[in-house]
Amino acid sequence: MKIRCLAIDDEPLALKQLVAYIGKVPFLELAAQCQSAVEARTFLENDTVDAIFCDINMPDLSGMDFVKSLAVPPLVVFTTAYSEYAVEGFRVNAVDYLLKPFGLQEFQRAAQRLQERLEGTRPADEVPVPDTDTLFLKTDYRIVNVNIPDIRYVEAMSEYLKVWLDSQPKPIVTFLSMKKMEERLPSYFMRIHRSYIINLTKIKEVNKNRVIMDADTYLPIGDLYKEAFQRYLSTRFLTR
């Protein structure tokens, strides 16, 4: 079964990339591409889609307001360069939130989540993960509710993870793999080392091969992750 998609972005190059990524996923079908939310709303008055890949920061009508205005919105994956929209995006029940610049792998992960939601491809014994801005972690004999934007970074420690938060000085220690954590976190998190996943919005400074999160926290950038991290930085680096 094909998932009919609507791609919306006011930046021509971003829209072109989005359309290209949709074309690389076999179970996605591009119904239309629009350069504004107003144009998309006109399209939906005469047609239907299963899912929308939608930029947020657009003139005239933002992607967020556009989705909120729909009486019965399709499933939504937001795409934006502004991480501050992440929490609001999940509050309108977005399936995923892709922080630009995102790669094909991140896009495919979001597409997979769409497929799971629409076609029920999730295994029967797997509990659905709610699309919210929180997650539950088991630590000692407790289960704690963690606000995802509060996470500064995640540190691997043998078979355990240390989850460092802004809101408390000591980390939450949980029995979990880096792979599982990486799959669950939204795209404004990035793995920079086999032992570290960081919240990109919490970076204070980048110094050579280290990411400085605060005065006492210097995290190394691994060779396998250096290229992707430098690509991320290059899209946000301002010059004269």
Side-chain angles (χ1 to χ4, degrees):
M1 176 183 174
K2 291 279 190 177
I3 300 175
R4 281 172 51 82
C5 302
L6 178 61
I8 312 168
D9 201 304
D10 65 308
E11 299 177 6
L13 290 178
L15 182 60
K16 183 178 179 181
Q17 182 190 56
L18 188 56
V19 169
Y21 282 169
I22 290 173
K24 291 179 183 295
V25 179
F27 56 81
L28 296 184
E29 175 186 319
L30 181 67
Q33 53 182 299
C34 301
Q35 286 192 270
S36 72
V38 174
E39 182 183 347
R41 188 160 59 186
T42 301
F43 172 82
L44 290 177
E45 288 174 357
N46 303 296
D47 208 335
T48 60
V49 295
D50 302 305
I52 296 173
F53 290 91
C54 185
D55 186 24
I56 293 179
N57 192 28
M58 294 185 288
D60 298 326
L61 180 64
S62 75
M64 193 73 67
D65 290 338
F66 163 64
V67 171
K68 289 177 180 178
S69 73
L70 298 175
V72 185
L75 295 181
V76 178
V77 174
F78 282 120
T79 67
T80 184
Y82 300 93
S83 58
E84 60 266 29
Y85 291 117
V87 173
E88 189 178 0
F90 285 118
R91 283 175 180 163
V92 298
N93 203 29
V95 173
D96 208 346
Y97 176 98
L98 294 172
L99 184 63
K100 298 177 182 179
F102 53 87
L104 178 59
Q105 185 176 4
E106 294 166 292
F107 180 86
Q108 288 173 326
R109 185 174 64 185
Q112 184 65 39
R113 288 178 176 174
L114 279 175
Q115 186 182 52
E116 289 174 351
R117 185 81 73 85
L118 281 168
E119 300 181 4
T121 57
R122 185 182 287 108
D125 60 349
E126 182 180 339
V127 178
V129 177
D131 293 303
T132 67
D133 57 341
T134 64
L135 55 81
F136 289 91
L137 296 176
K138 187 175 182 180
T139 178
D140 297 326
Y141 298 102
R142 301 175 298 132
I143 296 176
V144 297
N145 191 8
V146 176
N147 188 18
I148 292 176
D150 189 37
I151 298 174
R152 294 172 58 234
Y153 66 96
V154 179
E155 178 182 3
M157 184 182 64
S158 186
E159 296 180 331
Y160 291 82
L161 297 181
K162 289 182 178 180
V163 181
W164 295 87
L165 307 175
D166 273 340
S167 59
Q168 61 186 57
K170 292 184 178 181
I172 294 172
V173 179
T174 184
F175 184 72
L176 195 65
S177 70
M178 286 288 273
K179 183 176 184 296
K180 285 291 185 183
M181 178 62 82
E182 191 174 13
E183 289 174 351
R184 179 62 183 90
L185 292 173
S187 61
Y188 58 91
F189 284 82
M190 179 178 285
R191 193 165 183 175
I192 61 165
H193 188 276
R194 64 194 224 29
S195 298
Y196 294 103
I197 299 171
I198 64 170
N199 185 332
L200 296 168
T201 69
K202 309 288 187 181
I203 296 174
K204 301 300 182 186
E205 186 179 329
V206 179
N207 190 334
K208 296 182 180 179
N209 290 323
R210 298 183 301 177
V211 173
I212 301 172
M213 306 300 287
D214 57 49
D216 300 313
T217 308
Y218 295 69
L219 306 181
I221 303 170
D223 290 340
L224 291 176
Y225 305 92
K226 187 179 300 182
E227 183 179 349
F229 184 66
Q230 290 295 333
R231 188 166 60 246
Y232 165 78
L233 290 180
S234 68
T235 62
R236 285 159 172 76
F237 188 76
L238 296 182
T239 59
R240 295 182 64 181

